[in-house]
């Protein structure tokens, strides 16, 4: 039931430019699941504070910390989707910092003062409700940071290429099939690759916001990359549906579906690396 409710809130948020009736100051936090790596999106009430976004692990007053909190800290980052002020939404790459006990108590008390439901959550929870500051990526302060991010992106692309090659080798019968259930484990590897690729692109969407702010000339290239991401996301959804369908054990069928999924992916990686690297490489400024 909670997942259905969250899904409805997410749909209304995106359809209405980040506004959902009855939920002021809402953002969508997306993190990777700790066990599956699958992207998980959660609507959260937030409060902006000195350029950061404070979110509260109240979990509706439940006795345990929410899953998003544990996933976020385990992943070390995620994306926060907020209204863009123009009737749409925009994703920001964010770095989580859990507040120390003194600041946590002060900020939670202020949130409870503004939104009394948070005082009720604290009374029911019987635990210290964590408060996490989400710091959006800012490329203006450190001249070396953009190039470092692109270097990390290229390493991640290399890892995705390696995973893809391993999958193709296995599907072609070059690599030995894992035991004890080759078909099930092959599907699991395909699914793991899909989740990793999906989360990679979600994180990139957040980074693109910072790159476009820092390098406005990248706008056309980033528009193309965002369109590529939408195409890949649709293909991922189809492939995941295929993996869950009867008859998905045939390696030849899986290979054909995987090829359709990754068609053009190498060109996408190369285009992205070329344009982001060219913009962010250290060079004299006029």
């Amino acid at each position: 039931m909670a997942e259905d409710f969250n899904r409805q809130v997410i749909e209304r948020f995106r359809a209405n430019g980040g506004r959902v009736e009855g939920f002021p100051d809402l953002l969508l936090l997306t993190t990777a699941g700790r066990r599956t790596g699958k992207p998980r999106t959660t609507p959260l009430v937030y409060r902006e504070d000195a350029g950061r976004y404070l979110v509260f692990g109240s979990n509706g007053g439940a006795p345990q910390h929410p899953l998003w909190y544990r996933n976020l800290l385990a992943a070390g980052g995620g994306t926060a989707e907020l209204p863009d002020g123009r009737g749409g939404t925009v994703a920001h790459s964010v770095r989580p910092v859990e507040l120390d006990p003194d600041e946590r108590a002060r900020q939670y008390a202020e949130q409870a003062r503004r939104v009394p439901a948070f005082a009720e959550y604290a009374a029911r929870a019987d635990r210290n409700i964590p408060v996490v500051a989400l710091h959006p990526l800012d490329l203006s302060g450190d001249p070396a940071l953009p190039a470092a991010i692109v270097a990390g992106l290229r390493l991640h692309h290399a890892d995705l290429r390696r995973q893809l090659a391993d999958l193709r080798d296995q599907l072609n019968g070059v690599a030995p099939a894992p035991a004890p259930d080759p078909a099930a484990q092959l599907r699991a590897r395909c699914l793991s690759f899909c989740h990793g690729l999906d989360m990679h692109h979600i994180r990139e969407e957040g980074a693109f916001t910072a790159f476009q702010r820092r390098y406005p000339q990248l706008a056309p290239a980033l528009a193309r990359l965002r369109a590529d991401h939408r195409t890949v996301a649709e293909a991922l959804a189809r492939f995941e549906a295929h993996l869950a369908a009867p008859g998905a054990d045939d390696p030849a069928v899986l290979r054909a579906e995987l090829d359709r999924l990754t068609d053009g992916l190498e060109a996408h990686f190369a285009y992205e690396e070329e344009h982001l690297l060219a913009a962010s490489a250290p060079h004299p400024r006029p």
Side-chain angles (χ1 to χ4, degrees):
M1 292 296 292
E3 288 188 6
D4 290 340
F5 177 77
N6 279 352
R7 189 178 303 112
Q8 293 173 13
V9 172
I10 291 166
E11 289 172 356
R12 292 203 298 270
F13 182 97
R14 290 174 173 160
N16 298 308
R19 305 299 178 190
V20 180
E21 186 176 356
F23 292 92
D25 299 324
L26 200 67
L27 62 75
L28 303 183
L29 177 68
T30 301
T31 60
R34 287 168 298 153
R35 290 186 293 274
T36 66
K38 184 175 182 178
R40 303 288 187 184
T41 300
T42 308
L44 296 173
V45 171
Y46 77 97
R47 190 173 85 249
E48 189 167 0
D49 178 75
R52 57 188 185 163
Y53 307 112
L54 302 181
V55 289
F56 309 87
S58 59
N59 204 14
Q64 67 278 352
H65 294 328
L67 288 176
W68 66 258
Y69 164 77
R70 288 178 280 184
N71 289 338
L72 177 65
L73 295 188
T79 63
E81 193 173 340
L82 294 107
D84 64 6
R86 301 185 301 275
T89 63
V90 62
H92 298 271
S93 178
V94 291
R95 173 178 57 88
V97 176
E98 187 167 5
L99 301 191
D100 63 44
D102 289 343
E103 188 180 10
R104 185 215 71 83
R106 178 170 57 81
Q107 294 287 6
Y108 196 90
E110 174 61 17
Q111 183 68 11
R113 184 188 69 80
R114 297 186 183 203
V115 184
F118 280 88
E120 299 173 13
Y121 300 151
R124 290 204 303 266
D126 193 29
R127 59 184 168 88
N128 283 330
I129 291 175
V131 180
V132 180
L134 304 177
H135 293 256
L137 177 63
D138 182 0
L139 301 180
S140 64
D142 182 354
L145 182 57
I149 290 173
V150 175
L153 179 142
R154 295 177 77 179
L155 287 174
H156 201 170
H157 284 176
D159 183 57
L160 288 168
R161 290 181 180 107
R162 178 191 56 75
Q163 292 181 51
L164 185 56
D166 287 348
L167 277 175
R168 282 180 171 143
D169 283 347
Q170 190 173 338
L171 288 165
N172 288 329
V174 174
D181 186 345
Q185 293 201 21
L186 186 57
R187 287 197 307 274
R189 286 198 64 188
C190 288
L191 197 58
S192 177
F193 174 79
C194 288
H195 292 165
L197 180 58
D198 195 12
M199 194 68 223
H200 172 69
H201 282 170
I202 289 170
R203 287 176 175 140
E204 284 186 341
E205 291 284 335
F208 287 172
T209 302
F211 270 88
Q212 188 162 338
R213 184 178 297 118
R214 179 69 178 83
Y215 306 105
Q217 71 273 22
L218 279 176
L222 294 175
R224 169 177 160 170
L225 291 170
R226 289 185 175 106
D228 286 352
H229 285 179
R230 290 192 293 272
T231 299
V232 172
E234 292 168 359
L236 283 170
R238 290 193 298 269
F239 189 51
E240 288 191 38
H242 173 81
L243 290 171
D249 297 345
D250 186 342
V253 176
L254 278 177
R255 182 171 58 250
E257 291 294 330
L258 187 66
D259 286 343
R260 272 192 285 272
L261 167 64
T262 59
D263 184 33
L265 198 56
E266 179 57 45
H268 167 72
F269 286 164
Y271 181 87
E272 183 172 59
E273 291 169 6
E274 174 190 356
H275 284 77
L276 294 189
L277 185 62
S280 62
H283 58 277
R285 299 182 66 84

